[in-house]
Amino acid sequence: MALQIKYTTGYAGTGKSTALIRLVESLPLKETIVVAPTHKALHRLADSLPEGLEYKTIHALLGWIPTINEEAKTIEQIDSTMKLGRMISQYSHIVIDEAGMMSEEMLFEITSKIEDITRYDSSINITIHCFLDPYQLLPVRGIQIQTDPDTTTNLTTQYRSEAPDIVALYTKFVHYLQGKNKRDLTT
């Protein structure tokens, strides 16, 4: 099969980022790219990704580069988007973090580019790995991508707590280990 899409879903704290990092470490470095809808999501992962791995926003992968329309007559015409046709055939794996924040339109744009490439070269195989929390922020515009139950791994065990009392206790413990707080915890 020339194009495969695999999904990993789960609530916050179920290990999606850990699973993403493990996956990326097992893939060929030069044939893999990690993308996300925002720079913030990419920066959160950057320190954990293997050195030399390429990562960028989905917009950059698709060649959606903001430009200024010099001929603009009204404010609505100032920001336009120039779509550049960039070949993505150099990747065998496209890993998408925070895929729940991207719209179906973005996913369709990526898949249509891959389908165009594989139509002319059937030896190319590309797998898209989508990591998403279906209960998180929705796309700004458009409809959230719908997962395929046949290719979805659902992470259900929550390993991280955001409850204030647990976070406070953990923070005290970390401060103790760092030598910043010797009053609240003792050995």
Side-chain angles (χ1 to χ4, degrees):
M1 175 173 252
L3 171 62
Q4 289 185 330
I5 304 176
K6 298 180 179 182
Y7 303 93
T8 301
T9 66
Y11 295 104
T14 55
K16 291 184 305 298
S17 294
T18 302
L20 184 150
I21 291 162
R22 270 196 230 124
L23 170 70
V24 167
E25 290 172 343
S26 73
L27 298 173
L29 186 69
K30 298 297 179 194
E31 298 173 18
T32 303
I33 184 168
V34 173
V35 296
T38 65
H39 289 286
K40 183 177 181 179
L42 288 173
H43 290 298
R44 187 178 44 78
L45 278 177
D47 291 338
S48 302
L49 296 174
E51 186 151 337
L53 179 73
E54 186 178 358
Y55 59 91
K56 59 176 72 172
T57 64
I58 295 167
H59 293 78
L61 176 73
L62 291 171
W64 292 353
I65 302 184
T67 60
I68 295 178
N69 180 354
E70 301 291 338
E71 305 298 318
K73 302 269 191 262
T74 65
I75 192 79
E76 292 83 17
Q77 296 173 329
I78 290 178
D79 288 328
S80 63
T81 302
M82 178 175 62
K83 292 186 179 183
L84 301 175
R86 291 190 182 168
M87 298 296 288
I88 57 177
S89 58
Q90 62 188 341
Y91 306 112
S92 59
H93 296 275
I94 299 171
V95 181
I96 305 174
D97 188 33
E98 302 291 354
M101 293 175 59
M102 64 187 265
S103 67
E104 280 187 330
E105 176 191 9
M106 283 181 157
L107 184 59
F108 290 155
E109 185 71 24
I110 295 170
T111 58
S112 68
K113 284 183 179 280
I114 294 168
E115 288 167 351
D116 287 346
I117 293 165
T118 57
R119 191 174 299 129
Y120 298 105
D121 186 349
S122 60
S123 68
I124 295 175
N125 293 304
I126 299 175
T127 302
I128 298 173
H129 306 269
C130 296
F131 288 79
L132 66 137
D133 179 346
Y135 312 102
Q136 199 174 14
L137 291 172
L138 296 176
V140 174
R141 288 183 299 181
I143 299 170
Q144 185 180 42
I145 62 173
Q146 303 301 306
T147 59
D148 176 1
D150 294 336
T151 60
T152 299
T153 301
N154 294 306
L155 304 177
T156 57
T157 305
Q158 196 159 10
Y159 297 100
R160 184 181 79 205
S161 174
E162 296 185 20
D165 56 335
I166 294 174
V167 171
L169 180 61
Y170 179 74
T171 302
K172 284 181 182 180
F173 180 65
V174 169
H175 288 168
Y176 174 78
L177 293 175
Q178 293 172 338
K180 296 178 185 176
N181 180 359
K182 298 289 185 184
R183 292 185 325 263
D184 293 333
L185 297 171
T186 59
T187 55

